Structures are given as structure tokens and as C-alpha cells.
Amino acid sequence: MALFGKKKEEKKVPICECNFDYPISEETEKTSECYSKVQEDICCIKVLGSGCVSCHTLYENAKEAVQKMGLMVEVEYVTDLQKVMGYGVMSMPALVVNEKVVSMGKVLKSSDVEKLLHNLGF
């Protein structure tokens, strides 16, 4: 049954694992500039911790590394233990890039975070 007078709704589809939403319609190709940029770049960096000095130090070092690399991404500091447990992290601090745990139980220096991001292809 056809509905007349109703505009076809665009649905929002998460493009990356951190749920960066971009409206995708049937006319939008997945090769659009926004889509490919999100797929190639870092969409989110998180430091998981309990709020201790070590966790806060990793957070500051990660922010410094992102700034030095000229990346346009915000580093999030997650201290909610329910959310931390959702990543399966048992030792803190932990570093998460694009929703994947890339380091745990270590306080990385900013230079180490930079090297890690470069090794991940960023």
C-alpha cells in the first residue's frame, strides 16, 4: 500500500563503533567524504580508570599526545565502573581507541601513546 504525501524519512545509522551518527538515505553512497573520513580516522579515545593518580596521568598524557599529533578528537575519561567493566578491563588504567582496548595496566607516557597510535595506523 503506497502512502502519498509522506516524505521518506532518513534513518541514522552508526558509522563507527562509538556511534557517530550521520544521516544515511538510500541516495547517500557509503563512499561519501564524511563516511570515508570517519572510517579512516580515530573516532574516539577513552581512558578507563578509577580516578586515581595513575589513571589521571594516562588521561593527561593521552590528551597531550593527541594535541601533538594534531588530531581533532576529544579524549574521554571514563570512571564509571559499570562502563569500565563493559570493556572487560580488569587492570587500570586502560586506553581505548575506536572502542577497542589497546593498553591496560600501564601508565603510558605521551610519546608512548603517540607511538601506539602510529602503530595502529593513525
Side-chain angles (χ1 to χ4, degrees):
M1 180 176 165
L3 296 175
F4 297 101
K6 282 202 169 188
K7 185 179 177 184
K8 198 174 215 179
E9 291 183 31
E10 288 185 348
K11 56 182 177 175
K12 287 193 171 196
V13 178
I15 291 176
C16 69
E17 293 172 337
C18 70
N19 293 324
F20 174 86
D21 287 334
Y22 183 78
I24 302 289
S25 66
E26 289 179 8
E27 293 82 29
T28 306
E29 294 182 22
K30 290 192 175 190
T31 57
S32 70
E33 183 179 331
C34 182
Y35 181 87
S36 61
K37 179 138 180 74
V38 171
Q39 290 295 336
E40 293 171 4
D41 291 340
I42 298 172
C43 66
C44 56
I45 297 176
K46 298 176 185 177
V47 173
L48 310 178
S50 60
C52 67
V53 174
S54 296
C55 299
H56 189 72
T57 301
L58 177 59
Y59 172 64
E60 292 299 324
N61 291 346
K63 286 194 323 185
E64 184 180 329
V66 165
Q67 183 180 15
K68 283 182 183 177
M69 293 176 72
L71 299 173
M72 299 300 294
V73 64
E74 184 179 340
V75 179
E76 185 181 345
Y77 189 26
V78 179
T79 57
D80 181 344
L81 291 180
Q82 291 289 348
K83 291 180 181 177
V84 170
M85 295 301 281
Y87 288 94
V89 171
M90 297 308 236
S91 59
M92 293 181 266
L95 185 65
V96 176
V97 178
N98 291 354
E99 295 302 316
K100 292 185 175 120
V101 178
V102 295
S103 172
M104 71 173 111
K106 298 177 186 174
V107 180
L108 302 173
K109 298 177 187 173
S110 66
S111 61
D112 294 331
V113 174
E114 281 185 70
K115 287 177 191 174
L116 180 64
L117 294 175
H118 283 300
N119 288 340
L120 292 171
F122 302 109

